[in-house]
Amino acid sequence: MAGAQWRKSTKSGNNGGSCVEVADNLRDVVLVRDTKDRDGGTLTFGRNAWRGFVTLAKEIGAVG
């Protein structure tokens, strides 16, 4: 998506394993992609859906 500014997730490890990049600078959406396969596809979340996902992940202990 044009204008996306990608950054590595703060919860991704430094071991070269499971890493994701997030672009949260766009007005209505948050984009997520695999750092190791940047051309392999992008997940698109609405802002409310993204907040819900992050909240749930924190509740179940998937992220700190």
Side-chain angles (χ1 to χ4, degrees):
M1 185 170 281
Q5 296 175 354
W6 295 96
R7 63 177 175 80
K8 185 176 170 186
S9 168
T10 57
K11 300 303 178 186
S12 292
N14 292 321
N15 61 2
S18 301
C19 299
V20 296
E21 293 178 325
V22 177
D24 57 3
N25 66 300
L26 302 171
R27 180 182 171 108
D28 296 321
V29 297
V30 176
L31 307 175
V32 180
R33 69 182 179 186
D34 185 341
T35 301
K36 298 179 302 304
D37 188 13
R38 292 182 173 135
D39 295 324
T42 301
L43 296 174
T44 303
F45 293 87
R47 291 229 169 248
N48 288 337
W50 179 250
R51 278 190 287 272
F53 171 79
V54 171
T55 298
L56 180 60
K58 288 178 179 180
E59 286 176 3
I60 64 169
V63 296

